[in-house]
């Protein structure tokens, strides 16, 4: 039951270039989307989020784009830095289950930024 | 900056034994969660807890699992009789509880190894 899909298990980019991480979802009840970054032996760290009423949210080098009709979102990192190398998880939540806002995660994409 | 803490970082136990994983959520947060990640798989929701009771649980969270908030700071996950397949990283998370605020903040995790 893959309600949130990250089809690229890995991505490698050069320092200074743009990293684009993609995520697709199938559940129309999702109305909030989050990106988490995870280093080995650490817990997921919240990065940026977007509500379904928006199509773009920007925070410094990180921008998330949401295309509701395509059920697709992407995370752009510009410029990419070696310290960005980590696993990036896309997660979704919705209010269909009340106010619990439980998160449904994708499998993650390992981003490697090469110096 | 406030953070979620978890103890122990690594727990090794024999099959059939009881384990208790401990978490201290961020102090002014109202919703608490447990997730797990089996090696190589996605992060999965186990249970959410609000107002001293379970608000939602997944199919994984069967009678062998229980959660408790024994005092004003700790949030625990108990597995009564561990199985080999319970081996995973267990993450605690907390959320402020404001309507429309979905962001959850995760602890560093406890690696549970069942032998």
């Amino acid at each position: 039951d893959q309600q949130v899909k990250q089809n690229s298990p890995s991505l490698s980019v050069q320092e200074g270039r743009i990293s684009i991480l993609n995520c697709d979802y199938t559940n129309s009840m999702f109305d909030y989307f989050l990106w988490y970054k995870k280093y080995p032996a650490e817990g997921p760290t919240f990065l940026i989020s977007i509500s379904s009423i928006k199509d773009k949210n920007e925070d410094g080098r990180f921008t998330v784009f949401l295309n509701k009709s395509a059920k697709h979102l992407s995370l752009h990192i510009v410029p990419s830095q070696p310290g960005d190398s980590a696993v990036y998880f896309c997660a979704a939540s919705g209010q269909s289950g009340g106010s619990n806002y439980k998160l449904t995660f994708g499998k993650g994409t390992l981003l490697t930024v090469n110096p | 900056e406030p953070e979620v803490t978890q103890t122990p970082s690594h727990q090794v136990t024999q099959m059939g034994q009881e384990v208790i994983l401990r978490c201290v959520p961020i102090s002014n947060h109202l919703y608490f969660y447990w997730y797990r990640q089996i090696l190589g798989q996605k992060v999965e929701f186990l249970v959410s807890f609000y107002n001293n009771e379970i608000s939602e649980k997944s199919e994984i969270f069967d009678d062998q699992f229980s959660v408790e908030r024994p005092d004003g700071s700790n949030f625990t996950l108990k597995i009564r009789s561990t199985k080999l397949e319970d081996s995973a990283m267990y993450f605690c998370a907390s959320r402020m509880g404001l309507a429309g605020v979905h962001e959850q903040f995760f602890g560093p995790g406890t690696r549970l190894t069942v032998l």
Side-chain angles (χ1 to χ4, degrees):
Chain A
D1 177 20
Q2 286 200 68
Q3 297 188 66
V4 178
K5 302 178 191 177
Q6 293 177 259
N7 291 321
S8 298
S10 63
L11 174 69
S12 182
V13 299
Q14 286 298 120
E15 181 178 5
R17 299 290 190 108
I18 184 171
S19 296
I20 300 176
L21 298 112
N22 294 303
C23 178
D24 298 291
Y25 63 97
T26 56
N27 190 337
S28 300
M29 300 304 292
F30 290 144
D31 60 6
Y32 205 87
F33 304 91
L34 308 92
W35 285 93
Y36 284 83
K37 179 167 80 171
K38 186 180 180 307
Y39 294 116
E42 293 185 13
T45 301
F46 170 70
L47 201 54
I48 192 170
S49 61
I50 188 166
S51 163
S52 61
I53 62 174
K54 295 185 175 182
D55 54 18
K56 177 182 174 181
N57 188 27
E58 191 172 352
D59 183 2
R61 296 186 297 115
F62 304 91
T63 303
V64 56
F65 296 91
L66 175 63
N67 182 332
K68 276 188 66 177
S69 60
K71 293 192 176 68
H72 177 84
L73 60 153
S74 60
L75 174 68
H76 292 210
I77 307 174
V78 182
S80 301
Q81 299 172 354
D84 296 329
S85 297
V87 176
Y88 287 78
F89 290 101
C90 172
S93 74
Q95 300 194 37
S96 60
S99 56
N100 289 322
Y101 300 172
K102 70 176 182 183
L103 298 179
T104 301
F105 283 85
K107 285 189 173 182
T109 297
L110 173 63
L111 173 67
T112 304
V113 180
N114 301 302
Chain B
E1 187 173 323
E3 57 182 19
V4 177
T5 60
Q6 290 185 244
T7 54
S9 56
H10 192 188
Q11 174 88 48
V12 181
T13 190
Q14 295 290 326
M15 189 170 56
Q17 294 296 304
E18 174 184 286
V19 294
I20 297 176
L21 310 183
R22 302 180 194 279
C23 169
V24 178
I26 295 173
S27 62
N28 63 343
H29 285 191
L30 301 179
Y31 283 83
F32 314 115
Y33 305 82
W34 284 101
Y35 292 83
R36 79 172 185 190
Q37 185 181 28
I38 294 171
L39 188 63
Q41 298 187 23
K42 58 174 66 178
V43 177
E44 302 173 287
F45 167 77
L46 292 179
V47 65
S48 60
F49 192 86
Y50 171 72
N51 201 26
N52 280 320
E53 61 182 25
I54 290 173
S55 47
E56 188 174 353
K57 59 184 180 179
S58 71
E59 293 175 356
I60 303 166
F61 195 88
D62 62 22
D63 292 345
Q64 293 301 310
F65 291 86
S66 63
V67 288
E68 194 178 34
R69 188 155 162 84
D71 53 41
S73 59
N74 290 284
F75 178 51
T76 62
L77 174 69
K78 182 193 290 187
I79 309 175
R80 275 182 252 285
S81 177
T82 49
K83 306 184 187 72
L84 295 176
E85 54 264 37
D86 293 328
S87 294
M89 281 291 291
Y90 287 80
F91 296 106
C92 173
S94 68
R95 181 171 68 86
M96 194 176 291
L98 296 174
V101 178
H102 296 239
E103 287 80 1
Q104 295 178 24
F105 296 88
F106 285 76
T110 293
R111 178 173 297 284
L112 177 64
T113 303
V114 183
L115 303 176

